[in-house]
Amino acid sequence: MLFRRKLRMTTVLAASLAVALTGAVEAGAGTALAEQSQTPSTSQLLFFNHAYSVVDRETADAIEHSDYLRDFANFEVRTTTGGGMTWTGRYLKGRETYLELFGEGDLPGQDAEFGSAGLGVSTEHVGDLATVTQRLRDQGIANPFEYRQTRDFGDGVPVPWFDTIRTTGDQYDAFDPWGMEYFPEYFADPRSNTEPESYPGDVSRERYLPDDYQNHLMKDITGIRIGVTARDLANTVPLLRAGGYTVEFTADGGVLASGGGTLIRFDSVPRDQAGLKQVTFSLNKRQLAGEEHRIGRSSLMVGPGYQATWLFDPRA
């Protein structure tokens, strides 16, 4: 999680979801974005790591105190210090992916506003972020914004955590997308509680996240839908393409990005409709029937089968 504005100041339902996420794709949609090639000619280097969003206070509090979510997922409310900042988030962690949720006012500055959101896509091998950065330059992003994030485990000594790359610095409305690569030094620190590497240069998501997901129903995030402004969408597409995603443009001006196991859909909306809309999860155990759980103003439908869908109203 990064809060860019502050960092710059200091140096931020369930089968139906398949239709909802996919939508009608119109090849050659009449937008400036559609002028870009829709199918990448490059290998996949960036993969969905996590997304965050600021939800209404009622829903945030309900999430924080939900007994069901503690059974459903490897759930944690955690305070983290990094890059000279401290934040408290509500986390649902899977095998390789996770979700981070905040309430209005939890974050500094404009990032505290309802509907603010972000997306981290990360590498699996040391050195791949440098290739992504070059791919951005090849797309005409002359000066990608680079930032190194550290973490403080409580002794006041910053530990290298991950490097990030963005298409722009602080020129965004409500949505912050970044590419990232974990540091081997972070994995080597025993306080990180991470796993040994599985191959040389392993900086993977699976290595970073704990295996406690095996003791819960949630396995991973397989789809996510977020409303973003046109400017934020334009800033996001080059990063996804540089990471190897296949990008398709929908009839309503949105974007569908596929690749790496998590389908990402962006709806192009005004700022007051921005924010997290839907998340789909794969499950560790097949559910014979569907069961709905109301959590604040959101609705989590678990099953039937191996899927769960969490619906949010960004205009709540």
Side-chain angles (χ1 to χ4, degrees), residues 245-262:
Y245 281 88
T246 296
V247 175
E248 298 174 283
F249 301 88
T250 64
D252 58 3
V255 161
L256 197 66
S258 58
T262 301

Side-chain angles (χ1 to χ4, degrees), residues 17-160:
L17 186 64
V19 175
L21 276 173
T22 303
V25 174
E26 179 182 338
T31 66
L33 286 175
E35 295 175 2
Q36 303 176 53
S37 174
Q38 295 186 5
T39 303
S41 58
T42 52
S43 59
Q44 186 95 22
L45 296 181
L46 293 177
F47 301 82
F48 179 90
N49 183 290
H50 72 284
Y52 79 86
S53 190
V54 176
V55 300
D56 63 277
R57 175 53 55 185
E58 176 187 344
T59 301
D61 290 346
I63 290 170
E64 182 169 343
H65 300 290
S66 171
D67 291 333
Y68 180 74
L69 286 179
R70 285 167 169 78
D71 289 333
F72 174 74
N74 178 10
F75 179 86
E76 178 184 27
V77 179
R78 186 185 75 225
T79 298
T80 304
T81 298
M85 293 181 59
T86 299
W87 64 90
T88 300
R90 303 148 187 85
Y91 298 84
L92 287 81
K93 295 176 288 185
R95 180 178 183 271
E96 295 182 312
T97 60
Y98 68 95
L99 183 66
E100 186 177 18
L101 296 167
F102 300 91
E104 293 174 278
D106 283 351
L107 304 178
Q110 284 184 269
D111 291 317
E113 295 177 6
F114 177 81
S116 292
L119 171 73
V121 284
S122 66
T123 67
E124 301 278 272
H125 299 82
V126 168
D128 281 355
L129 194 65
T131 303
V132 171
T133 303
Q134 184 57 52
R135 290 180 182 177
L136 283 173
R137 294 193 175 102
D138 292 344
Q139 291 184 69
I141 309 298
N143 297 297
F145 188 90
E146 300 177 70
Y147 179 79
R148 177 163 294 183
Q149 178 66 298
T150 61
R151 182 170 180 179
D152 184 344
F153 285 103
D155 57 4
V157 179
V159 175

